[in-house]
Amino acid sequence: MNFFTRARKRVVKVATVALAVTATCSGLTWAAVSLTGNSADAKSPVACSYKPTDGAKPVGIPTFDAWTAARPYTAELVTNRGTITFQALTDKAPCATNSFSFLARKGYYDGSTCHRVTTRGIYVLDCGDPEGEGAADPGYYFQDENLDGAEYSAGTVAMSKAVPGRNGSQFFISYADPDTPMSSEWTPFAKVVSGLDVLKEIAGNGTQDGSSDGKPKKAVVIKSVTVRQASVSAPREKRG
């Protein structure tokens, strides 16, 4: 069963909610900022909507401020198999990176088990479900972004979802370039800067049932996730 079929067969119960919780920063112009603190061309503000669900482990709803969300950060995932560090693509996927940072700071991922590894066709490690089954959500969901031309080469960190268009806490990390074409429907939100060797070792151990798609043979537990935000300067006003 391939990556896409398995993902769509997971079930996430979504409560019917009349009011979407929307965090919007309006009337504000902000600049995308690099790690060095240099400002880039000013962009229009982004509005992110996080909608409540009946998630098994709700931790609240993220707020969203365009300037704060634009600040670059690195995330360090300390696992029992080694440490993986990635750079968040805050300029390309602000809704996803804002959500990930929110959950990490809440300790949502601490103690969770990565529930899936694939070793044929596509090469990914799936994590982000505290129940370790690939079906839970954090009590909210948000829409896709950054899909135009999205690809999933080695080092890509992307949202993994059980229902199309409903992203929550789950994500996958590609540890090698895929052999099988992957359609651009999974929001890429970060790039691995160190720890690919850790991912490859995890995959090299195989799965519990010996298949090419299943739970890692040796349990992968996320001990902690630390977000380190870069120090940047506030955007400068444009003068006419």
Side-chain angles (χ1 to χ4, degrees), residues 25-227:
C25 182
S26 59
L28 174 69
T29 300
W30 54 272
V33 184
S34 68
L35 279 172
T36 60
N38 298 324
S39 61
D41 293 336
K43 298 181 180 180
S44 298
V46 176
C48 291
S49 177
Y50 301 102
K51 302 179 181 180
T53 72
D54 59 348
K57 187 183 177 183
V59 290
I61 304 293
T63 57
F64 183 82
D65 170 79
W67 164 242
T68 302
R71 292 178 60 187
Y73 70 79
T74 57
E76 182 182 78
L77 278 69
V78 177
T79 80
N80 62 328
R81 302 297 169 193
T83 300
I84 303 159
T85 304
F86 58 73
Q87 177 67 47
L89 305 176
T90 55
D91 58 332
K92 297 179 179 178
C95 300
T97 55
N98 183 63
S99 173
F100 185 89
S101 176
F102 169 79
L103 293 173
R105 295 177 191 280
K106 289 283 187 177
Y108 183 84
Y109 296 115
D110 298 356
S112 64
T113 302
C114 294
H115 55 271
R116 180 179 179 228
V117 66
T118 59
T119 59
R120 183 185 302 169
I122 60 172
Y123 306 96
V124 302
L125 178 68
D126 256 309
C127 309
D129 174 5
E131 297 181 354
E133 298 298 332
D137 69 70
Y140 65 87
Y141 73 91
F142 58 96
Q143 297 297 311
D144 298 320
E145 59 186 329
N146 193 32
L147 296 184
D148 187 19
E151 53 84 29
Y152 308 96
S153 56
T156 299
V157 187
M159 297 304 302
S160 178
K161 56 201 175 189
V163 178
R166 295 180 181 273
N167 300 292
S169 61
Q170 295 182 55
F171 61 94
F172 67 83
I173 311 175
S174 298
Y175 63 88
D177 295 344
D179 295 330
T180 300
M182 296 175 67
S183 57
S184 300
E185 58 180 298
W186 315 91
T187 296
F189 71 93
K191 275 290 186 180
V192 173
V193 294
S194 66
L196 273 180
D197 56 330
V198 174
L199 293 163
K200 291 178 179 179
E201 184 175 348
I202 290 170
N205 293 325
T207 62
Q208 290 181 7
D209 61 6
S211 70
S212 61
D213 186 342
K215 290 188 176 185
K217 185 173 184 179
K218 294 184 178 180
V220 181
V221 180
I222 297 177
K223 294 182 176 180
S224 65
V225 180
T226 302
V227 170

Side-chain angles (χ1 to χ4, degrees), residues 222-240:
I222 297 177
K223 294 182 176 180
S224 65
V225 180
T226 302
V227 170
R228 293 188 172 88
Q229 204 159 35
S231 298
V232 297
S233 302
R236 287 175 288 184
E237 292 183 7
K238 284 188 173 183
R239 297 186 179 182

